[in-house]
Amino acid sequence: MAIVEKVIDAPPQQVFDVLADGWTYSDWVVGTAHVRDVDDTWPRVGSRLHHRAGPWPLSLQDTSTVLACEPPRKLVIKAGLWPAGEATVVFTLDPVGDDATRVRIGEDFAAGPLRWVRNRLNDLVLHLRNKETLNRLSDIATRQKADR
């Protein structure tokens, strides 16, 4: 599983609040083009986020499902992108002092063709994608901190 981490200048609950707002995913998850719908129970286990991923007109419509949720410490999602496959994505949040959070994102292909196409280039692209995802998550979480 490829793991990327970043320290965000906001407490864990504030960062988790961004994860818990499914409507913001297209703002910070690199590759998500549009959120079509979010279950009212998001991010409870079994709830789903309906999205489009990839550039138009090639974007794919799929769903991501919450596998585990432990606010404000952990969120595990099965991210679908069929016919390419699906990935298990794990967000772990650990406090750093009183006002910062170490966020780790781990992602691994769990099913489909992407699971068998693992190579160094794919791992590098995934690492860079997740690094930018955490940068965007940080921007939103710290902006919310400034608004409070």
Side-chain angles (χ1 to χ4, degrees):
M1 178 175 285
I3 298 176
V4 178
E5 70 176 51
K6 178 178 182 74
V7 174
I8 297 177
D9 292 327
Q13 185 62 56
Q14 192 166 316
V15 177
F16 194 86
D17 288 347
V18 178
L19 299 178
D21 182 355
W23 290 105
T24 68
Y25 271 58
S26 60
D27 296 336
W28 59 272
V29 177
V30 174
T32 301
H34 174 69
V35 174
R36 300 182 339 268
D37 193 22
V38 179
D39 288 358
D40 291 338
T41 56
W42 184 268
R44 276 194 272 175
V45 172
S47 62
R48 299 184 315 162
L49 179 143
H50 310 271
H51 53 78
R52 291 188 73 80
W56 183 90
L58 304 174
S59 62
L60 301 172
Q61 187 168 295
D62 212 328
T63 302
S64 292
T65 305
V66 176
L67 300 177
C69 182
E70 301 168 19
R73 304 287 308 242
K74 188 174 190 176
L75 182 64
V76 181
I77 300 171
K78 177 176 67 175
L81 191 57
W82 289 99
E86 66 187 26
T88 301
V89 184
V90 179
F91 295 93
T92 307
L93 290 71
D94 293 308
V96 178
D98 291 334
D99 223 17
T101 305
R102 175 174 288 105
V103 180
R104 289 181 187 87
I105 180 172
E107 184 169 3
D108 202 8
F109 296 115
L114 290 175
R115 184 174 180 193
W116 298 292
V117 185
R118 286 245 9 214
N119 60 41
R120 286 180 178 231
L121 180 59
N122 288 349
D123 287 348
L124 175 62
V125 170
L126 188 60
H127 177 83
L128 294 173
R129 172 187 173 270
N130 287 339
K131 185 175 178 183
E132 178 59 21
T133 289
L134 288 181
N135 287 337
R136 293 177 185 188
L137 176 64
S138 177
D139 289 345
I140 293 170
T142 56
R143 184 176 65 230
Q144 286 181 350
K145 180 180 176 182
D147 291 344
R148 290 182 182 198

